[in-house]
Amino acid sequence: MKVLVPIKRVVDYNVKIRVKADQTGIDLANVKMSMNPFDEIAVEEAVRLKEKGAATEIVAISIGPQECQETIRTALAMGADRGILVKAAHDVEPLAVAKILAAIAKAESPQLVILGKQAIDDDSNQTGQMLAALLGWPQGTFASKVVLEGGKAEVTREVDGGLQTVKLNLPAIVTTDLRLNEPRYASLPNIMKAKKKPIDQKEPGDYGVDAAPRLKVLKVTEPPKRKAGVKVKTVQELVDKLKNEAGVI
């Protein structure tokens, strides 16, 4: 069974974001970039499926600048077999990403596409759902557990009321949540092996997709700084402040 794992290159989650002085976007100069954490979980889950014998090939896909090749190499070092880089000089919006992935899925004929539920840079949480709609495949979003058996995927989803378990016919789309697994660190031998694994380079036009942006960012601002807290001496004073100042009770 072939598994596709779309991955995104984002600002590392440990980095404090800086807004440009003109408020046109995020300052990326000399900033550490890494794989989107939710996508890292997706790669780990695909590798575990392969280790269990449920998957035979893992293809890592990234859409973006040439530097995304480094992100694909990270996935290859974790255990993916080959990569596809779709080069784009600008940010590609979720619908265009989904269209490119749909075209790749039709060409590769996978049984499973597993990807992060959202990226930590734009928090769109749209690509997996759009991809499922474009392909007409069933989807299991916010997965905290995935079991493949008998040509079906049993996905345990994290929902507001607790957990929901759905059974999907393959091929299917699964988006990963934080509690699905703990991604492994790539060992040095695997990092060296990853350098020899193939990465195909494509462009959106190769898949008949117009990736030109439809949205324009007008302004980016930092969130307001949190005000300092206050100490209260009695429970009555606490209740009074919560009721009359905070307005939460």
Side-chain angles (χ1 to χ4, degrees), residues 72-82 186-199:
I72 294 176
R73 291 291 178 199
T74 300
L76 296 177
M78 290 176 67
D81 298 293
R82 59 187 175 92
S187 64
L188 182 58
N190 286 341
I191 292 173
M192 300 305 293
K193 290 177 184 177
K195 294 181 179 180
K196 298 180 180 179
K197 292 182 179 179
I199 298 178

Side-chain angles (χ1 to χ4, degrees), residues 1-28:
M1 183 182 75
K2 184 184 294 185
V3 180
L4 299 188
V5 188
I7 56 178
K8 187 176 185 181
R9 180 175 181 264
V10 299
V11 176
D12 189 89
Y13 70 94
N14 286 311
V15 173
K16 179 175 172 53
I17 299 297
R18 300 192 308 270
V19 175
K20 291 180 180 178
D22 59 3
Q23 297 185 324
T24 58
I26 302 301
D27 186 1
L28 298 179

Side-chain angles (χ1 to χ4, degrees), residues 47-188:
V47 173
R48 292 188 185 190
L49 290 173
K50 186 178 179 183
E51 290 172 343
K52 293 175 183 176
T56 55
E57 185 182 22
I58 301 169
V59 184
I61 305 164
S62 193
I63 302 168
Q66 186 66 38
E67 290 82 1
C68 290
Q69 186 168 330
E70 300 171 10
T71 311
I72 294 176
R73 291 291 178 199
T74 300
L76 296 177
M78 290 176 67
D81 298 293
R82 59 187 175 92
I84 299 175
L85 170 61
V86 182
K87 292 191 291 183
H90 52 77
D91 289 338
V92 183
E93 293 167 2
L95 180 57
V97 171
K99 288 179 178 179
I100 293 170
L101 294 177
I104 294 174
K106 290 174 183 177
E108 294 283 343
S109 299
Q111 287 296 98
L112 181 67
V113 180
I114 184 167
L115 65 160
K117 69 172 185 176
Q118 65 195 75
I120 62 172
D121 53 0
D122 58 16
D123 276 333
S124 290
N125 185 16
Q126 295 174 338
T127 303
Q129 293 89 329
M130 288 177 170
L131 179 59
L134 290 170
L135 291 172
W137 292 3
Q139 60 180 307
T141 54
F142 318 129
S144 61
K145 184 178 180 181
V146 178
V147 178
L148 300 184
E149 190 175 9
K152 297 181 183 294
E154 189 172 284
V155 179
T156 301
R157 304 179 61 240
E158 298 198 355
V159 296
D160 291 341
L163 298 176
Q164 178 190 59
T165 301
V166 295
K167 185 170 284 187
L168 315 174
N169 292 322
L170 298 179
I173 310 295
V174 173
T175 70
T176 62
D177 214 328
L178 282 174
R179 281 154 290 279
L180 179 57
N181 61 51
E182 183 71 29
R184 69 192 67 192
Y185 289 102
S187 64
L188 182 58

Side-chain angles (χ1 to χ4, degrees), residues 201-213:
Q201 298 205 15
K202 303 285 187 179
E203 294 186 0
D206 297 334
Y207 299 105
V209 176
D210 177 11

Side-chain angles (χ1 to χ4, degrees), residues 23-41:
Q23 297 185 324
T24 58
I26 302 301
D27 186 1
L28 298 179
N30 301 315
V31 171
K32 181 183 177 183
M33 308 292 285
S34 61
M35 189 189 305
N36 177 47
F38 291 103
D39 297 338
E40 215 173 4
I41 292 169

